[in-house]
Structures are given as C-alpha cells and as structure tokens.
Amino acid sequence: MGLDDSEALRVLRDAVDPALGSDELIRRFYTRWFAIDMSVRDLFPPEMAAQRHAFAQAVTWLFGQLADQRAQEPVAFLAQLGRDHRKYGVTQRHYDSMQDALLTTLRSQLIERWDDRLAEAAHDAVALLVGVMRGAADAEKGPPYCDGTVIEHIRATRDVAVIRLQLDQPLYYHPGQYVTVQVPQWPRRWRYLSPSIPAERSGAIEFHVRSVPGGMVSPAIVSETKPGDRWRVSNPHGGMHIDRDGGDVLMVAGSTGLAPLRTLIMDLTRKAVNPRVHLFYGARYPCELYDLRTLWQIAAQNPWLSVTPVSEFNTDPPWAADYPDVSPPRGLHVRQTGILADVVTSYGGWGDRQILICGNPHMVEATKAALLAKGAPAERIQHDPLTP
C-alpha cells in the first residue's frame, strides 16, 4: 500500500515525533549517517541539538501530512527544502547516504512492529522525501547564495543593530520575503533575517537585527559586526504580501519585526494609488522604536500611511541616553502605552482589513489570538512561520 497506508504512516510519524520522545531515534539517525558518510558531518554546526529538533519536527509533519493523504503541501515544502539545502553544499551522494541511514534507523527502532506494510510505507515516504529534495536541487541552476560585504553597522539601541551590505551580485526577492544569512563569527549557523528595503539592482541590502537573550548568532551580529565583514545570504523564502485588490491593510510590528513590513511600505511608495495602511509599531521602551523617524518621513509624503507607536513602558530607561533619540516631531504619531495586542484590538476587530503581523513568536501568537477573539477572519491574517 505504501503511501496509501495511513495507519503505517502514523506509526512512522509517532516514532519520529519529538513530543513523544524521539530524541534517541533522531540522535541515532545522525550518528549512523555520519558513520556512513563522514563528509556529511562538516555540513552541520558543532552543536546539533537544534538541528536534531528541527529535523524531527519536519519529518513528523511530513509523515502526518502523508497519513492524512495530503501530498501537495509536503511536496512543495520538500522542493523548497531541497533548493535551500544547496547552500550547505549538499550533493547527490549525501541524499543517498541520508536515505540509507534514515530507513535503517526506523527499522531498528520499530523492529518489533516491522512488517511488509511498515517497510513499504517507510521506503516510499523516505524515497519521496529524498527524491523531491534531490530533484528540486538538481533542477535549480542559479547560485544557492550570494556573498556580500558589510559597509555600515549602526547600533540603533542597546539590543538592535542596522546592518547594511553591498552584495557581490544583486539578490532578487519580493517585498515581505526573508532570507537566511551566515556570518563569519558563526560558520555553518544560518539565521533567518528579513531585508528592510526592497531589492536593489545595485546589490544593496539592509537588515535590522535584535540580540536575542541566550542566542548565539544574533548577539554576535549586534555586538561584533564591523565594516568589511563578509556575509553569505541565501535565496529568499516566504510569501507575505499585500493584495492590491484585497482592501485596506493593518500591519502590526514588534521591534525588528518591522523590517519586512517596512519593505512592503517602501515598495508601495513606488505606486501612485495604494490601499490605506495602518501600522502599529511596538517595543518595550519608547527609545526602542528605533525606526520611527523613517516611518514619519514616509507617512509625511504618503497620506495612505498612518503609524501608531506603542511602548509597554511610558518612560525610557537610563541607558537610552547612550543611543540616538528616536522621537518624531512633537504632535505627530501620538504614542500609546500598553501591550501591543491590547492596543491594536482596542481600536476594534479589524475584520475588514488585510492583516500582517511580524515580530517574535510570542507577540505574533498573542496578537493573532486577540484579533481572532475580536472577530478578525483567520484567512485574512498573514505572518511568517513561527519556527521557520
């Protein structure tokens, strides 16, 4: 029965599900894969915990989708994964050894239940996983990434830096998309970032980065980046967009979640007629609304844009004096105080708007839940994957 055997596919899904304790299975898979092909180990960072968890989540979702007989989204996901994995240096040989290691590990883990049905389902599911990734990677003829040089590093706040690069060749992306970047301080650790300006033929690109407490890559970017550093930037992902025929727009940005929404707004300025856009831009302290002056300048020239700054606290901390004053001219864009989700929904349910939310996962989830509770249709709400 193979991919038509939903019961067998659910057994495979449960075996790899991290919520059901698949840590040891996933660890064995990687150990076996590295033993079969020692060149694979060099493709991954030294610390593998995050990689193992991400792989377990992805395979769990894949097996679950196949068990429910939904193949279209998994195939599209695997194709994108295959194209994206070219940036790691994955070759056709690596796919062969991965298939061997994963099938062997599944069989050894499920040896007491292993029969012809389970073997056929496992073989077909893993063959689909590897085959689609391999085929998509092989069909992609363009380069998997481009390199660029940091030309400016601006410490906007204690936790936020604006990084401007000149790429060796232009990178074409749609407004609202995101990329992965690799920085010299952390080789082989790719981090998701959203460009904060539309794609430029000149190869200029800008990122806004917030240092995440306990993180590895973002603190290094914020604190250690300097002009002359060489970055590697992957091809774009994501589909956040504004439907120009879809009515007016609500945007909600938390801290550096502003970046992709800023890109969409800047792209709209190139057009003569636009939907109305209302942006709520939030941070903890007023001083952390680091790009407020830019937003004011755009709004001053484009009456379709209105901006409501929001801070959780009404006054700045003492360290704010060490960073640029971000206050807009007096009387413009009156700032609100409170939790971003509460402030947004205090204006209503926004059910007649296209809704785009960007920020940390907690903020996105809280804002989305608050809007849904107010009656906003779920199909009108867009946000990037919370764990891309």
Side-chain angles (χ1 to χ4, degrees), residues 70-383:
R70 294 196 291 263
Q72 183 174 354
E73 192 172 347
V75 167
F77 168 76
L78 290 170
Q80 179 59 56
L81 208 60
R83 289 189 290 269
D84 190 47
H85 271 59
R86 295 185 310 135
K87 70 173 182 267
Y88 298 110
V90 175
T91 67
Q92 299 297 314
R93 185 187 73 183
H94 296 141
Y95 285 114
D96 291 334
S97 58
M98 174 187 175
Q99 183 168 357
D100 183 12
L102 186 53
L103 281 173
T104 303
T105 305
L106 287 169
R107 184 172 63 247
S108 63
Q109 179 72 15
L110 298 168
I111 191 64
E112 295 182 1
R113 305 181 63 177
W114 201 259
D115 56 19
D116 290 343
R117 284 181 56 192
L118 202 54
E120 185 177 1
H123 176 273
D124 290 357
V126 174
L128 176 70
L129 184 158
V130 171
V132 173
M133 288 182 65
R134 186 206 306 263
D138 192 48
E140 193 73 17
K141 300 306 180 186
Y145 52 75
C146 60
D147 294 332
T149 302
V150 174
I151 58 172
E152 193 169 13
H153 172 271
I154 301 170
R155 194 67 176 268
T157 77
R158 184 175 65 173
D159 299 329
V160 173
V162 175
I163 315 293
R164 293 177 179 144
L165 295 97
Q166 178 62 49
L167 300 177
D168 296 348
Q169 57 192 28
L171 177 67
Y172 296 104
Y173 52 87
H174 296 294
Q177 287 192 300
Y178 57 90
V179 299
T180 55
V181 302
Q182 180 182 248
V183 299
Q185 293 88 346
W186 286 100
R188 303 201 305 274
R189 289 189 184 274
W190 293 79
R191 191 182 190 278
Y192 290 95
L193 294 177
S194 296
S196 58
I197 60 173
E200 291 275 356
R201 291 183 179 179
S202 66
I205 194 168
E206 177 183 293
F207 298 106
H208 299 176
V209 185
R210 181 172 181 269
S211 179
V212 177
M216 294 183 178
V217 179
S218 62
I221 292 176
V222 171
S223 300
E224 301 172 18
T225 298
K226 60 186 183 300
D229 284 355
R230 295 284 287 172
W231 283 25
R232 180 157 286 177
V233 183
S234 80
N235 290 322
H237 304 266
M240 186 176 292
H241 67 285
I242 293 174
D243 180 356
R244 295 185 57 76
D245 299 318
D248 292 336
V249 181
L250 167 67
M251 294 181 171
V252 185
S255 187
T256 52
L258 175 66
L261 303 183
R262 181 187 195 264
T263 304
L264 285 162
I265 289 169
M266 292 178 73
D267 185 61
L268 288 177
T269 66
R270 300 170 172 176
K271 301 172 175 65
V273 179
N274 288 304
R276 290 183 302 160
V277 177
H278 194 128
L279 168 65
F280 287 85
Y281 172 36
R284 291 169 300 174
Y285 299 105
C287 67
E288 292 183 317
L289 297 166
Y290 64 91
D291 210 33
L292 196 53
R293 285 184 175 271
T294 301
L295 295 172
W296 169 72
Q297 290 168 358
I298 297 173
Q301 301 296 321
N302 297 276
W304 46 264
L305 174 64
S306 22
V307 180
T308 300
V310 181
S311 63
E312 294 182 25
F313 300 97
N314 194 39
T315 57
D316 282 328
W319 53 259
D322 296 335
Y323 298 95
D325 180 14
V326 299
S327 302
R330 185 175 178 82
L332 292 169
H333 304 306
V334 177
R335 181 173 48 82
Q336 305 290 309
T337 304
I339 302 300
L340 188 55
D342 295 340
V343 174
V344 171
T345 52
S346 72
Y347 285 75
W350 303 94
D352 61 335
R353 306 292 180 105
Q354 303 178 66
I355 300 173
L356 287 70
I357 311 172
C358 292
N360 67 65
H362 175 74
M363 186 283 287
V364 172
E365 289 177 327
T367 304
K368 182 177 181 180
L371 287 165
L372 291 173
K374 282 281 190 174
E379 63 273 14
R380 300 274 284 174
I381 300 176
Q382 299 180 56
H383 57 80

